[in-house]
Amino acid sequence: MDVDVALEHLGTLLPVLKQLAATSGPVHIVAINPEQQAALVDLVAGLQVFDEQETPRSESDKQLYAEYVSSFQPKPRPVSRGTTLGRPLATAWLDALRTIRVHQLALRWRAKAARKREEVQTLTRLSHELRLISEWEHFNVFRVSEASNGAPLQVTTMYAFHKLGLIDKLEIPVDTLKAFLTGLEETYKPNPYHNSTHAADVVQVVTATLCMDEFTSQLTDLEVLSLLLAACIHDVAHPGVNNAYLIKAYADMALTYNDNSINENWHLSCAFRILKDHNFLTHLSEADYRFVRRTIIDAVLYTDMMFHQQLLKQFQATMGVLGPNLDNWKDENRVLLLRYVLHACDISNPARPWSVCREWAVRITEENFAQGDREREEGLPVSPLNDRDKANPVKGQQVFCDMFVKPTFQIMAALAPNTAAKALAYAAENSERYEDFLAQGIIHLPDH
């Protein structure tokens, strides 16, 4: 007899089973409805089949088995109101129910053991991926997202905090930090691109940059903390559309922030509201907390692409005057450095290995096209890059790589030569790949 079927019958016959369990003598069924009657007849007929699948292993088991089988008639008689079930049948009932229970527990144990093995394997994979957090080319945030059951931002950020020693140096309460990161990740929306996986990716690239180059030793702990937190929150609650759309649509967010860096202001507002509920920085002095808050705000606002050229010019000019020794960089200049590093990491996808580069390119294209569809439906002008009928995603990615990403890391080389060398090598490789696609007439991103 199938265990699931038997269990269904148990639910149907619960009143009858209670009578059987309460007495060792005959049980008189004084009230049985048609559903119970059909289930009981089926169970009586099926118990022998169920038992014959069990093989007795000892002499006592064989004797019990023989008594068990003998309690059944070859053909069960109909059971109806007024029928009496004698003790042998009642005993057989209970034995069968015990057998079903044993099978049920065994199935649960095997399922639990399988889940445990899977959890161990998953944790092993996750641990392996996170240990690569300081490497530019080997870390894969998509594998982290899968192994962390969709919580890449939480696990990547916690690992980064430990890797960079911030937990101990700043005496950060781990449980409160976890609560903050959980709230943050839950507030990110499931956009194709601007989601918590992208945020985790930027956290990792920031961490790799800090680990690969020596300028990190000249940053204060609060500056490192501010940079990592800015990476965490920089796209939280992103609506999946850009600032230009919000302005064209006269969206409430545009009205709230007066058309100025709308998404970026929104990200900051959401993040600090979450921090208010899970503030792991309450032990900082007022001055230190204000510094962290001010630095995060500045860095996140400058992730707005409208500041790209201005940021590059400012950083290049400052580097030309002060040089790479950060002891010469004071106050506002140091904030400029942090905003530049965050911006470079935010747009670094085309400067990563092809498997990562391509996946992010597909995702941003999908999000852009979704915005274009929305613009068309609402009667708004459709942005050229967002028109799925006219856009050339391969060309768009190549242009972004050559015109925005490469110059960013070329200028950054004076500060972070190791990071820049890795980024520029992959950017050149990916740009050539896009060029090859275009030469073949391929305008849409390939599957691999």
Side-chain angles (χ1 to χ4, degrees), residues 390-443:
K390 300 178 181 179
N392 184 331
V394 169
K395 185 63 177 178
Q397 286 298 312
Q398 184 193 37
V399 169
F400 185 77
C401 181
D402 291 345
M403 301 298 293
F404 293 89
V405 178
K406 285 183 181 179
T408 299
F409 284 97
Q410 287 166 351
I411 294 172
M412 191 174 172
L415 173 73
N418 297 327
T419 298
K422 295 274 190 183
L424 291 170
Y426 281 110
E429 181 181 309
N430 293 331
S431 180
E432 290 178 7
R433 192 184 296 261
Y434 286 132
E435 186 64 34
D436 290 342
F437 290 150
L438 293 172
Q440 299 173 52
I442 299 173
I443 64 171

Side-chain angles (χ1 to χ4, degrees), residues 21 31 40 50 68 73 141 147 152 245 252 270 281 339 367 389 398 404 429 442:
L40 187 55
F50 180 84
Y68 196 159
Q73 298 177 1
V141 75
Y245 166 85
D252 288 342
C270 291
L281 302 176
R339 75 169 73 126
E367 191 167 304
D389 297 326
Q398 184 193 37
F404 293 89
E429 181 181 309
I442 299 173

